Amino acid sequence: MSKIEIKSPLPGTFYRASSPDTPPFKADGDAVASGDVIGVIEVMKTFHEITAQDAGTNITFLVDNEEPIMPGQVIAEIEQ
Amino acid sequence: MTIRSVLIANRGEIAVRIIRAAKALGIRTVQVHSAADAEMLAVKLADEAVDIGPPAPKKSYLNIEAVIAAAKAAKVDAVHPGYGFLSENGDFADAVVAAGMAFVGPSGDAIRLLGDKVSAREVAARAGVPTVPGSGGRVLTLDDAHRIAERTGFPVMVKAAAGGGGRGIRIVETLADLEKQFPLASAEAAAAFGDGGLYMEKVITRARHVEVQIFGDGENFVHLYERECSLQRRRQKVWEEAPAFELPQVVRKKLCESAVALAREVRYTGAGTVEYLYDEETREFYFIEVNTRIQVEHPVTEMITGVDLVQEMLKVAGGAPLSLKQDDIKPRGHAIECRINAEDPFKDFAPSPGTITKLVVPEGKSVRFDTMLYEGYTIPPFYDSLLGKLIVWGETRSECLERLAKTLEGLKIEGVPTTIPLHQTLARSAAVASGAFHTRFLEGWLETDFTETKTKSAEVA
């Protein structure tokens, strides 16, 4: 079993859900398929979806909802 | 009470603009900032700076408690909200006043009254300001729909009363079309929203966006003529002018007087803007909304009238009567403002935060650059992409356009992509020169006339 990091391509604010009223795209521990949206990053009032490149299990988020994020920063880890 | 100190509850270029106005009046300035904005220009220019919270606007610039606490601790006389953020939040205005300070803007009640689309439309109608013709309320039968369409003319929009976000809207072109579409629209609305109620509104095709700058002190009300903001992308203004392009004098008079009537109706205090759609063909204008704050594009008005709107806001908020008299406000020449954003116009306007490595600002009597930039400044990703506004004045519009094109060549911002190339192309565009624009013009033009290759080849030629 190895861990795969999902990194942010952009600077901005990280959100785990598409709006405050909807559940998060992924809960901690969820399985992830390649292409799944795991969060969005707001950059200067525009929103960019973050998708998983690889499939995996047991996702662990390292960035909280609504927290600032830098390019290259690890958003989450999945297990393979 | 003359204001001796002011807290600026904003960031970016408008915070810099407010500090400059306050300094000119000898007012002490206190700048609030988020943790991401400690290095911003307004912080460097202000007499004092206060960190009010984390980068997310909700936790800092939109946090009423944090802003009020900073203002109290700094013992300021007044709070200037700028634009955006808390500027049109009536509860914030009330909280500032309740804390014993002056809010640089209208009362909380006026902000709420004019901020609500329905009540603002009612105020406009009471003041005799034309609103977009329509049913006003629900249309119950096809007979009623006929009568309304005869009054409004075609095309007319048939809309689900319960709808929202553009759903359940049909544009109807003819009477026959109406007979076919009306029952369908009603059935569709009933299915989609559980409510078959419809209302109707005239469609203003190829409308221009024209707005009037108003100013009041609660007893005296003036206008400072109009601006044209028809060049928009995704409903965001990109380029603004004063005065509006070839607006007939009789229309201008009616338009500006209607805005003053609206200000008088609510006994308005401070700077405000009444926005309209203008139909060039019929020469009719229709109320859209009121913005109860200083606008991004206020400098074009300042350039043609010579009035410093932000200084006047501070004076009026301190209790001074309006220093402007309608007969003394005499517009001269033409001004254009280009919004310079940290966006890549060749990559679908992708936002581009980053560090400014070089900044060269052209100077001149008729040139003004309102900005937050300095060399070495890192633009944070958490806020909007506006970096600055280039404003150029000319005796005539063509002189202004020519000067603008030259000035844009001299404006250098390096380190991040910006919208300067877009403005360079617009400033030399025949369509812009001939005033052939409306609010949907720019989006089409970007598809057909603005590509990297075309822009580059034009530069070579």
Side-chain angles (χ1 to χ4, degrees), chain B residues 192-211:
Chain B
F193 308 108
D195 174 358
L198 298 174
Y199 76 87
M200 292 167 60
E201 202 172 85
K202 184 181 168 68
V203 177
I204 316 292
T205 45
R206 299 175 71 85
R208 282 161 53 187
H209 176 112
V210 175
E211 58 184 35

Side-chain angles (χ1 to χ4, degrees), chain B residues 34-68:
Chain B
S34 75
D37 272 342
E39 297 299 319
M40 74 177 176
L41 187 56
V43 166
K44 294 178 189 292
L45 295 175
D47 296 309
E48 291 163 45
V50 189
D51 185 332
I52 50 162
K58 224 165 68 183
K59 297 173 185 169
S60 46
Y61 299 106
L62 291 173
N63 182 341
I64 294 181
E65 278 175 30
V67 175
I68 298 285

Side-chain angles (χ1 to χ4, degrees), chain A residues 11-13 42-46 48 65-69, chain B residues 55 58-59 342 351-353 379-385:
Chain A
T13 306
E42 180 187 357
V43 190
M44 294 179 152
K45 294 187 170 178
T46 61
H48 304 263
N65 190 40
E66 293 185 19
E67 281 300 305
I69 193 160
Chain B
K58 224 165 68 183
K59 297 173 185 169
S352 53
I379 306 149
F382 311 109
Y383 313 104
D384 70 35
S385 58

Side-chain angles (χ1 to χ4, degrees), chain B residues 6-177:
Chain B
V6 66
L7 178 131
I8 298 102
N10 214 294
R11 64 177 304 283
E13 67 85 22
I14 195 64
V16 174
R17 168 75 186 91
I18 296 164
I19 290 173
R20 291 198 199 286
K23 292 207 161 181
L25 296 172
I27 296 172
R28 178 172 70 100
T29 52
V30 180
Q31 178 64 51
V32 297
H33 65 89
S34 75
D37 272 342
E39 297 299 319
M40 74 177 176
L41 187 56
V43 166
K44 294 178 189 292
L45 295 175
D47 296 309
E48 291 163 45
V50 189
D51 185 332
I52 50 162
K58 224 165 68 183
K59 297 173 185 169
S60 46
Y61 299 106
L62 291 173
N63 182 341
I64 294 181
E65 278 175 30
V67 175
I68 298 285
K72 278 185 178 167
K75 295 192 164 52
V76 292
D77 301 329
V79 174
H80 197 308
Y83 52 68
F85 295 121
L86 295 170
S87 62
E88 290 178 279
N89 184 317
D91 296 343
F92 178 61
D94 287 345
V96 170
V97 173
M101 297 169 283
F103 179 75
V104 185
S107 67
D109 284 342
I111 292 172
R112 280 183 289 266
L113 180 67
L114 297 173
D116 177 87
K117 290 245 177 211
V118 176
S119 59
R121 202 184 140 102
E122 283 166 8
V123 168
R126 269 209 308 280
V129 182
T131 52
V132 179
S135 56
R138 282 163 182 260
V139 192
L140 300 172
T141 65
L142 187 57
D143 278 353
D144 286 344
H146 270 197
R147 259 199 308 280
I148 291 156
E150 267 165 28
R151 188 161 49 80
T152 63
F154 290 97
V156 68
M157 189 163 61
V158 179
K159 243 168 138 175
R167 293 211 304 155
I169 293 179
R170 282 161 191 257
I171 308 288
V172 176
E173 303 283 350
T174 63
L175 211 56
D177 203 17

Side-chain angles (χ1 to χ4, degrees), chain B residues 285-401:
Chain B
F285 55 84
Y286 306 100
F287 172 80
I288 313 175
E289 61 178 20
V290 185
N291 293 317
T292 55
R293 54 168 164 83
I294 192 76
Q295 302 261 107
V296 175
E297 60 272 23
H298 75 274
V300 289
T301 297
E302 296 185 326
M303 291 292 258
I304 64 160
T305 61
V307 172
D308 189 311
L309 290 167
V310 182
Q311 285 191 29
E312 188 71 16
M313 286 176 92
L314 290 164
K315 289 183 205 163
V316 167
L322 201 58
S323 74
L324 310 165
K325 296 222 162 39
Q326 192 64 64
D327 291 344
D328 297 338
I329 303 167
K330 295 200 164 67
R332 187 182 150 196
H334 196 95
I336 297 174
E337 171 182 282
C338 298
R339 296 196 189 192
I340 313 294
N341 294 343
E343 292 168 6
D344 189 339
F346 302 117
K347 289 187 183 146
D348 199 27
F349 293 83
S352 53
T355 302
I356 301 300
T357 53
K358 188 175 176 188
L359 176 66
V360 181
V361 180
E363 282 174 37
K365 193 168 67 92
S366 307
V367 174
R368 168 173 166 184
F369 188 52
D370 280 22
T371 189
M372 63 199 278
L373 297 182
Y374 57 87
E375 282 182 7
Y377 174 63
T378 298
I379 306 149
F382 311 109
Y383 313 104
D384 70 35
S385 58
L386 183 66
L387 299 179
K389 309 174 309 202
L390 181 69
I391 309 108
V392 171
W393 181 90
E395 206 57 77
T396 62
R397 186 170 185 266
S398 57
E399 185 190 297
C400 181
L401 275 171

